[in-house]
Amino acid sequence: MTTTSLNAGRLVERLSTVIGIPVVPYDEDGAVDQDLTVALTARLVSNGVTALTPNGNTGEFYALSPDERRHVLTSVVSARGSATTIVAGVGFDLGTAITDARFARDSGADAIMIHQPVLPYLTPDGWVEYNARIAAAVPDIGVLPYLTRRAVTGAHITRLAERAPNVVGLKYSVPDPVVFATTRAEAADGLLWITGLAESYAPAYWQAGARAFTSGLVNVAPAVSLELLEALRRGDYGAATRVWRQIRHFEELRARDASANNVSVVKEAMHQLGLCRRDVRPPSHPLSDALAREVAESMAQWRSAVPEVAGERAA
């Protein structure tokens, strides 16, 4: 398959939805529980989630070994449905990212999401070069760079899209709707803009042109995330605001203290529902008892939307 046959338009259509970022469950010894990874993926698929990013931030990407990342990807791919679009997270140094991108392609991923480079010395031109080189290594699948820096402008994004035709969109995570609107207006047409800051920012960014959003909440209550999506698609901002208010406390807990407990909150909620253990890897940490109670309180308004689950795996 060549870049020309990628059918970027069709891929953008499939990705214009809630893009779930699956958690990675651990067993009692701290190893990745591959069987439960498959089961949790199947739960997402059966509840209507059609796009998944294994090895995203909610999947503790930076806490996994190379082998673990590959096993997580193949476990998620094994549980996909016929309509599931897989966007594999890749990153770190160029060589590692390219190797993982090719592995993702060969494992059946439809696209890759390139994590924001972790080097402290990032220039906008360097960001373009980093993403362009990785995209060039897998011209037959889609590419979605992950952007968190205001310094990368619409002009830089246009330059990247010109160099890498398989860049079909961006996961945009700069927490400023005005900067987002400006950046999008300055960038090339035809790209899919994904709100990378989840449900909290989805309504504001949707009004400025985003047509998808990532979600960690979807691991807990997929129906709530999908309800928000449908309200935004209808242009029913009253309904979208009602959903937003229901989940605001939960998402605020995830964002508190510079997102220190982002994953821990999601896993605590899943533990309380009997879905998986609450364990996270350092430098993350399980929640205190007080914060765990806040998580329970935050779920009260929408817990009825959570599918029935068995609790035997959460011990």
Side-chain angles (χ1 to χ4, degrees):
M1 183 165 57
T2 65
T3 302
T4 304
S5 64
L6 172 64
N7 196 344
R10 175 58 181 150
L11 183 57
V12 165
E13 181 182 336
R14 290 161 57 194
L15 290 171
S16 298
T17 185
V18 177
I19 301 176
I21 318 295
V23 302
V24 172
Y26 302 121
D27 63 22
E28 60 185 5
D29 297 320
V32 174
D33 189 331
Q34 300 295 346
D35 290 341
L36 188 52
T37 299
V38 172
L40 291 176
T41 302
R43 176 178 179 266
L44 290 169
V45 171
S46 67
N47 282 283
V49 180
T50 59
L52 296 171
T53 297
N55 294 322
N57 280 341
T58 307
E60 297 177 78
F61 174 78
Y62 293 103
L64 302 179
S65 71
D67 282 345
E68 287 175 327
R69 294 196 304 271
R70 292 185 176 201
H71 288 314
V72 166
L73 172 60
T74 56
S75 293
V76 171
V77 169
S78 74
R80 73 189 303 175
S82 60
T84 309
T85 303
I86 301 292
V87 184
V90 304
F92 297 105
D93 62 277
L94 272 171
T96 298
I98 288 171
T99 297
D100 284 357
R102 288 171 173 160
F103 180 85
R105 175 199 60 197
D106 296 343
S107 298
D110 303 283
I112 57 169
M113 185 273 290
I114 305 175
H115 282 272
Q116 180 80 7
V118 294
L119 286 171
Y121 311 115
L122 181 149
T123 67
D125 288 339
W127 180 87
V128 171
E129 188 69 23
Y130 177 78
N131 286 283
R133 290 196 193 184
I134 298 168
V138 284
D140 42 355
I141 62 173
V143 173
L144 298 163
Y146 181 9
L147 178 57
T148 64
R149 300 291 184 94
R150 297 168 187 259
V152 177
T153 67
H156 296 106
I157 294 165
T158 297
R159 192 183 316 154
L160 172 62
E162 290 171 346
R163 287 187 57 182
N166 54 332
V167 170
V168 298
L170 293 95
K171 178 180 176 181
Y172 193 86
S173 298
V174 176
D176 188 324
V178 175
V179 172
F180 167 62
T182 301
T183 303
R184 179 179 177 272
E186 293 174 348
D189 294 333
L191 295 171
L192 172 65
W193 294 84
I194 302 165
T195 306
L197 296 164
E199 287 84 355
S200 293
Y201 282 79
Y205 281 52
W206 193 278
Q207 293 184 67
R211 286 299 175 265
F213 59 89
T214 60
S215 177
L217 169 67
V218 77
N219 289 281
V220 184
V224 175
S225 301
L226 293 170
E227 182 182 358
L228 177 59
L229 173 70
E230 290 308 316
L232 293 172
R233 284 175 169 173
R234 295 193 308 269
D236 188 344
Y237 291 104
T241 299
R242 287 192 291 275
V243 177
W244 182 86
R245 286 174 176 164
Q246 287 180 339
I247 62 177
R248 182 175 60 176
H249 185 196
F250 183 83
E251 291 298 311
E252 187 275 327
L253 287 171
R254 297 181 66 203
R256 192 180 293 179
D257 298 327
S259 299
N261 292 317
N262 193 311
V263 181
S264 302
V265 167
V266 174
K267 280 195 167 177
E268 176 62 37
M270 296 177 74
H271 176 79
Q272 292 183 20
L273 295 169
L275 287 165
C276 69
R277 300 173 66 87
R278 57 168 57 93
D279 305 15
V280 290
R281 286 184 176 173
S284 296
H285 194 274
L287 300 185
S288 66
D289 290 344
L291 283 175
R293 287 192 292 272
E294 275 202 71
V295 170
E297 293 166 3
S298 74
M299 292 195 292
Q301 293 188 67
W302 43 266
R303 185 157 180 168
S304 61
V306 176
E308 291 295 324
V309 295
E312 65 271 17
R313 296 301 297 272

